Amino acid sequence: MLSGISWIQYLVFLIIVTTVYYIIVFFIFYRKDFFAYINKSGKTLSDGEITISGDNIGEASIRNATDPSELQHEIQLLLKEAAAKKLIKEEIIMSLQILLGPYHSLQSNPLKETINNYIITQTENICSIHLDAESIDQVWVRRGDGAF
């Protein structure tokens, strides 16, 4: 059976299988980045256009989007994970600092108040922890050059 397959056929098969494998892996892990790059088409980032991509909080970056729903989704996922791990208030604040680190420029943006209200509401609903104004201000504090 194997004597009927030449080395060239075997190598072509390996190249095709390997290429398909890496394409699948690429789309699983970099799907959002790929589509953001495709949809970019010269648009500039305006005040209300933010989103977070990536499974890790450290991979957060600003992308073009029409609404902050993906940021809200990422905040909700972070808080659900925090509730599952029974994190304390300080750990949740630090996690939110890491998540919002790339958005330090939103300090003077009206969208910041909406995000703050969403964080307060979701933290109370999901984690049963009340964040006051001082705690919310801590969420927006940057530590060093993006290293947390």
Side-chain angles (χ1 to χ4, degrees), residues 25-39:
V25 168
F26 175 81
F27 277 108
I28 288 172
F29 291 106
Y30 300 106
R31 174 181 56 239
K32 290 180 184 177
D33 294 333
F34 176 74
F35 288 118
Y37 178 76
I38 295 296
N39 292 332

Side-chain angles (χ1 to χ4, degrees), residues 25-77:
V25 168
F26 175 81
F27 277 108
I28 288 172
F29 291 106
Y30 300 106
R31 174 181 56 239
K32 290 180 184 177
D33 294 333
F34 176 74
F35 288 118
Y37 178 76
I38 295 296
N39 292 332
K40 206 174 201 176
S41 67
K43 294 180 184 176
T44 59
L45 187 66
S46 68
D47 288 343
E49 298 180 338
I50 59 173
T51 185
I52 293 179
S53 66
D55 293 331
N56 280 336
I57 297 168
E59 296 176 12
S61 60
I62 297 177
R63 303 275 185 235
N64 281 333
T66 55
D67 62 336
S69 63
E70 285 192 40
L71 175 60
Q72 291 176 341
H73 178 70
E74 290 294 326
I75 291 170
Q76 188 176 29
L77 289 176

Side-chain angles (χ1 to χ4, degrees), residues 68 72 109-121 140:
Q72 291 176 341
N109 190 319
L111 187 60
K112 178 187 172 191
E113 190 63 33
T114 304
I115 294 170
N116 287 347
N117 291 336
Y118 183 78
I119 291 171
I120 291 170
T121 304
W140 293 97

Side-chain angles (χ1 to χ4, degrees), residues 74-146:
E74 290 294 326
I75 291 170
Q76 188 176 29
L77 289 176
L78 181 140
L79 293 175
K80 284 181 181 180
E81 185 177 336
K85 292 181 179 180
K86 299 182 183 194
L87 297 180
I88 61 174
K89 181 178 179 178
E90 290 76 16
E91 292 173 325
I92 293 172
I93 290 171
M94 183 168 285
S95 298
L96 288 167
Q97 283 177 337
I98 294 169
L99 180 69
L100 297 173
Y103 301 99
H104 187 70
S105 62
L106 293 177
Q107 287 285 57
S108 59
N109 190 319
L111 187 60
K112 178 187 172 191
E113 190 63 33
T114 304
I115 294 170
N116 287 347
N117 291 336
Y118 183 78
I119 291 171
I120 291 170
T121 304
Q122 292 301 313
T123 305
E124 289 177 1
N125 292 341
I126 296 172
C127 300
S128 300
I129 294 176
H130 175 73
L131 295 179
D132 55 1
E134 183 180 325
S135 298
I136 287 296
D137 288 339
Q138 288 177 355
V139 167
W140 293 97
V141 173
R142 290 184 76 175
R143 294 183 177 199
D145 297 325

Side-chain angles (χ1 to χ4, degrees), residues 8-24:
I8 299 296
Q9 290 173 330
Y10 176 70
L11 291 175
V12 168
F13 173 76
L14 280 180
I15 290 171
I16 291 172
V17 169
T18 305
T19 303
V20 169
Y21 171 78
Y22 281 107
I23 289 172
I24 290 170

